[in-house]
Amino acid sequence: MTANNIVWHDASVTKEERREKNKYQSYVLWFTGLSGSGKSTLANALARYLYESNIQAYVLDGDNIRHGLNKDLGFTDDDRKENIRRIGEVSKLFVDSGQIVLTAFISPFREDRQQVKDILSDNEFFEVYVKCSLDECEVRDPKGLYKKARNNEIKHFTGIDSPYEEPVNPAITVDTESQDIEASVKQIVNFLLEKGLIQN
Ligand SMILES: Nc1ncnc2c1ncn2[C@@H]1O[C@H](COP(=O)(O)OS(=O)(=O)O)[C@@H](OP(=O)(O)O)[C@H]1O
Ligand SMILES: Nc1ncnc2c1ncn2[C@@H]1O[C@H](COP(=O)(O)OP(=O)(O)O)[C@@H](O)[C@H]1O
């Protein structure tokens, strides 16, 4: 059921004022990739780098959000869609509050990622494709989930019996098979500097 009789209330402090005071823009870096590709590792390494540069960034991570806000959702296509829709809305609130948001969700469907982009303004959504082959992710298997999926102990596992749609035109592609964590963080930081999304 949808609610009636609700009226938007304008905020007394605007997004632009918050950005002005912070001295940096607010936006979403949307990390997407297979389980084990390195989304959480890179988002957290970048958050640490930004924090030490006096820039507030907050990581929203699939595993963590599924313990709370989205604990009612599983891994069917519809549940993943709803997962990403909610995270998109939460990210939008963070951006409105002047924060940089680093999201680390598999977000396997192009359409769902596009929908998040569509609810944000220009220069508020940057897709970061964390590229890593399924073979390498299976070797890493940091949580032992691929092993379980191969043994049929987990159904609908991304890359095994559930699809992953690669980004078509991501803002950044970090190849975590050919470069180390530090090099990927540097690549993203360089992108942010070039775009004027952070200052030196
Ligand atoms: N069936 C299945 N498929 C994929 N992943 C699974 C599954 N079951 C549990 N997990 C664990 O949940 C993490 C993915 O959650 P996400 O919210 O990022 O997934 S999605 O965006 O809704 O597809 C994922 O975390 P990451 O490894 O960090 O990606 C897994 O640890
Ligand atoms: N070059 C690399 N870049 C990122 N992670 C790497 C790299 N090489 C090895 N790893 C390891 O791969 C694992 C990736 O796990 P994680 O960050 O949880 O991935 P995801 O969030 O995509 O599931 C971590 O254990 C990390 O240390």
Side-chain angles (χ1 to χ4, degrees):
M1 201 165 75
T2 50
N4 296 317
N5 305 315
I6 47 169
V7 180
W8 186 265
H9 203 300
D10 283 333
S12 60
V13 182
T14 67
K15 173 168 68 178
E16 288 70 26
E17 286 175 307
R18 292 180 194 281
R19 288 172 171 173
E20 184 71 31
K21 194 160 207 173
N22 287 342
K23 308 260 181 279
Y24 51 82
Q25 293 299 303
S26 59
Y27 46 86
V28 184
L29 289 185
W30 189 277
F31 293 74
T32 172
L34 293 172
S35 176
S37 57
K39 302 179 298 296
S40 302
T41 301
L42 294 182
N44 279 289
L46 181 64
R48 172 55 55 185
Y49 172 91
L50 293 173
Y51 178 77
E52 281 162 13
S53 310
N54 294 318
I55 297 171
Q56 293 285 345
Y58 193 78
V59 178
L60 297 175
D61 185 280
D63 274 317
N64 297 354
I65 295 288
R66 281 173 173 280
H67 276 95
L69 177 66
N70 289 350
K71 68 177 174 191
D72 56 326
L73 300 177
F75 289 93
T76 62
D77 290 2
D78 280 353
D79 278 6
R80 289 178 198 257
K81 186 178 187 62
E82 176 61 8
N83 184 37
I84 299 311
R85 187 194 71 77
R86 288 184 201 171
I87 298 311
E89 293 291 347
V90 171
S91 298
K92 187 174 169 159
L93 294 175
F94 269 85
V95 170
D96 200 43
S97 78
Q99 294 263 321
I100 296 169
V101 195
L102 313 177
T103 62
F105 296 82
I106 297 175
S107 45
F109 301 119
R110 273 183 209 125
E111 189 186 27
D112 300 346
R113 299 191 298 261
Q114 182 64 42
Q115 272 171 11
V116 177
K117 185 173 186 175
D118 289 345
I119 63 166
L120 291 156
S121 302
D122 286 349
N123 281 325
E124 288 185 348
F125 178 95
F126 300 95
E127 195 172 41
V128 182
Y129 178 28
V130 184
K131 191 169 183 216
C132 187
S133 68
L134 179 63
D135 282 354
E136 172 63 15
C137 289
E138 280 204 72
V139 170
R140 290 182 188 169
D141 204 5
K143 301 168 204 154
L145 297 179
Y146 282 101
K147 190 160 182 262
K148 283 189 178 166
R150 289 291 185 196
N151 289 336
N152 278 323
E153 290 166 47
I154 305 178
K155 296 272 177 236
H156 310 294
F157 199 80
T158 306
I160 309 291
D161 56 352
S162 185
Y164 178 76
E165 298 172 359
E166 288 192 340
V168 177
N169 191 19
I172 318 170
T173 299
V174 284
D175 187 332
T176 67
E177 250 177 298
S178 67
Q179 65 186 15
D180 64 15
I181 297 167
E182 204 179 311
S184 292
V185 171
K186 204 167 173 193
Q187 186 188 342
I188 300 167
V189 168
N190 284 340
F191 169 86
L192 297 177
L193 286 168
E194 276 163 26
K195 288 263 176 196
L197 293 166
I198 55 171
Q199 266 80 45
N200 250 328

